[in-house]
Amino acid sequence: DHDLTAMIRGGCNYPLGLTLSVLTETLGGFVTGTFKSGLQRNYETGIRELGPLYGAVLDSVSDSKGKKLLYGVVRSVFVHTYIFGRWVEGKLYHLEVSNSPEEGIAKISSCGLEVHGTKIRMTANTYTFDLMNAYRALFGKVKRRDAQARDMMERAILSQRL
């Protein structure tokens, strides 16, 4: 958490948001048991692991047919077009990362991800806090010798072998 705290305190919003998105996808990979394929599934699983408010955000960003768009919007914006946003079904989505540097990693809002029309706002302090708690819960299951959690983590790690 040292690097995340340093990014929050330094106001490094873009790299922090990108890092948190990658860590969310990785969390989902541990839960689904693979890092090789299904990256959108991993991201969405990771989002749901952060709690029901995050799941509600995931469900609220969808196209006219109900297809989830959060992964495409967040990942594409962070990786390709942060300044410009992303067009999806005739709507221009923008991503904003904010934080309160003096707070560090802290629960300063009920959910670290909010949607206001086509603006998706990540409150880094809260998102980081919730993400770290989700990782702690997962690793806690493994430490308690939860066979299913351990097997999924092992499978995910082994999926990276060539």
Side-chain angles (χ1 to χ4, degrees):
D1 67 341
H2 171 76
D3 291 338
L4 295 173
T5 300
M7 282 192 273
I8 288 171
R9 293 216 165 115
C12 302
N13 291 352
Y14 171 75
L16 178 60
L18 179 59
T19 300
L20 293 173
S21 292
V22 169
L23 290 172
T24 301
E25 195 173 295
T26 303
L27 173 66
F30 280 129
V31 174
T32 64
T34 185
F35 293 128
K36 277 248 193 236
S37 61
L39 300 179
Q40 180 170 349
R41 180 174 155 234
N42 288 351
Y43 179 82
E44 292 174 357
T45 299
I47 286 286
R48 292 199 188 281
E49 289 293 310
L50 300 180
L53 293 176
Y54 290 88
V57 170
L58 174 65
D59 294 337
S60 74
V61 182
S62 57
D63 66 14
S64 58
K65 297 176 184 171
K67 179 182 174 193
K68 305 284 185 265
L69 299 175
L70 191 65
Y71 172 77
V73 170
V74 172
R75 182 186 180 282
S76 290
V77 169
F78 273 132
V79 174
H80 303 293
T81 60
Y82 183 67
I83 294 171
F84 306 109
R86 169 114 193 262
W87 284 96
V88 178
E89 284 208 343
K91 296 178 185 174
L92 180 60
Y93 283 88
H94 287 281
L95 189 59
E96 174 185 288
V97 181
S98 66
N99 75 70
S100 297
E102 66 282 354
E103 299 289 338
I105 297 173
K107 187 91 168 166
I108 62 172
S109 60
S110 59
C111 183
L113 206 53
E114 301 170 14
V115 177
H116 302 282
T118 58
K119 181 181 269 187
I120 300 172
R121 182 174 189 212
M122 178 185 280
T123 304
N125 309 72
T126 300
Y127 195 100
T128 304
F129 181 88
D130 292 338
L131 183 65
M132 290 177 66
N133 281 337
Y135 269 101
R136 285 186 189 106
L138 178 64
F139 292 146
K141 287 180 184 178
V142 172
K143 283 184 179 179
R144 289 191 306 275
R145 304 203 191 298
D146 180 312
Q148 182 181 3
R150 186 183 64 242
D151 290 347
M152 295 304 275
M153 287 183 80
E154 285 176 2
R155 225 175 21 186
I157 292 166
L158 291 174
S159 76
Q160 292 300 293
R161 289 189 176 173
L162 299 176

